[in-house]
Amino acid sequence: MCTRQPPATVAEALDAVRAGLAFLNQVAAADLPGVVQAGCLRELAKAESAYRAAHARMLGAFAASGAHEDDGQRSERAWLKWQTQITFGAAAGAVGWMKRLAGQALHP
């Protein structure tokens, strides 16, 4: 049995995420049995939730540090739109998740 070592750095963790998604994007999904497709969809939903929480947590730290100002942006929303090429609505949604999840941490 293979035991996996957890990533040792943020860069290693992000590399693993990208590698896993790259693999899933090249798999012949239509050739997989339905049970495998269903399992993949369940696991991707879990991964999406984990992504949302990690993104909100990182964005919260980024906003608190004022790092967006280092790039001349007045808000983390403006920085996201500029640096990640997402729409205004998507950036606003990310900031909304950041605030909602931060609020949950304050009020368990």
Side-chain angles (χ1 to χ4, degrees):
M1 179 180 216
C2 177
T3 58
R4 292 182 218 159
Q5 294 295 328
T9 65
V10 170
E12 285 181 12
L14 292 171
D15 285 345
V17 168
R18 282 190 300 274
L21 291 172
F23 177 83
L24 291 173
N25 280 319
Q26 61 85 29
V27 165
D31 295 339
L32 297 173
V35 66
V36 174
Q37 293 167 341
C40 187
L41 290 169
R42 283 190 291 272
E43 291 302 316
L44 284 169
K46 291 177 192 176
E48 186 174 15
S49 293
Y51 161 81
R52 183 68 51 218
H55 190 276
R57 187 170 172 267
M58 193 63 66
L59 183 57
F62 184 77
S65 73
H68 56 278
E69 294 171 354
D70 295 342
D71 282 332
Q73 300 301 305
R74 67 184 185 285
S75 68
E76 59 278 357
R77 182 179 22 178
W79 186 92
L80 282 170
K81 188 173 178 300
W82 172 53
Q83 285 292 311
T84 66
Q85 301 298 301
I86 60 176
T87 65
F88 179 84
V95 170
W97 274 112
M98 173 192 73
K99 291 177 179 178
R100 281 190 291 281
L101 293 177
Q104 268 188 343
L106 297 175
H107 308 288

